[in-house]
C-alpha cells in the first residue's frame, strides 16, 4: 500500500475497517509501519509512544504507552 485507502481487520474491531494510510489520517506509527505492505499480509505492528498517542492519555490507554496491533490487509485501492 502506498498512500492509499485499505481495508484492514483488527482484533478489537467487529469487522474490517477502511482507512487511508500514508497521509497522516491515522497514527504516525500506522503510516510508517503499514505503507508498502501487500494485500494478504498479516502485520504485527509495535508502535512506540512517540509514533502513537505520546503523552496524551485516552480512555483505556495510559500516557506514554507502547501500542501493539495485528492487521490483516484485506484490500488496497
Amino acid at each position: 500500500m502506498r498512500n492509499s485507502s485499505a481495508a484492514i481487520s483488527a482484533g478489537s474491531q467487529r469487522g474490517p475497517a477502511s482507512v487511508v494510510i500514508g497521509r497522516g489520517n491515522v497514527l504516525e506509527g500506522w503510516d510508517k509501519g503499514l505503507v508498502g505492505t501487500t494485500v494478504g499480509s498479516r502485520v504485527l505492528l509495535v508502535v512506540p509512544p512517540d509514533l502513537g498517542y505520546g503523552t496524551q492519555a485516552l480512555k483505556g490507554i495510559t500516557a506514554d504507552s507502547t501500542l501493539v496491533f495485528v492487521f490483516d490487509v484485506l484490500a488496497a485501492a
Side-chain angles (χ1 to χ4, degrees):
M1 293 182 306
R2 175 175 277 170
N3 297 333
S4 64
S5 64
I8 59 171
S9 176
S12 64
Q13 297 282 332
R14 292 198 169 126
S18 187
V19 297
V20 176
I21 300 296
R23 294 189 181 165
N25 297 332
V26 294
L27 293 176
E28 185 178 356
W30 288 18
D31 276 342
K32 291 184 180 231
L34 294 174
V35 168
T37 59
T38 57
V39 173
S41 297
R42 174 168 280 177
V43 180
L44 173 64
L45 190 61
V46 179
V47 178
D50 62 316
L51 298 177
Y53 296 112
T55 59
Q56 178 183 1
L58 300 172
K59 183 178 180 180
I61 301 174
T62 59
D64 297 314
S65 289
T66 296
L67 307 171
V68 179
F69 302 92
V70 175
F71 294 96
D72 293 317
V73 182
L74 305 176

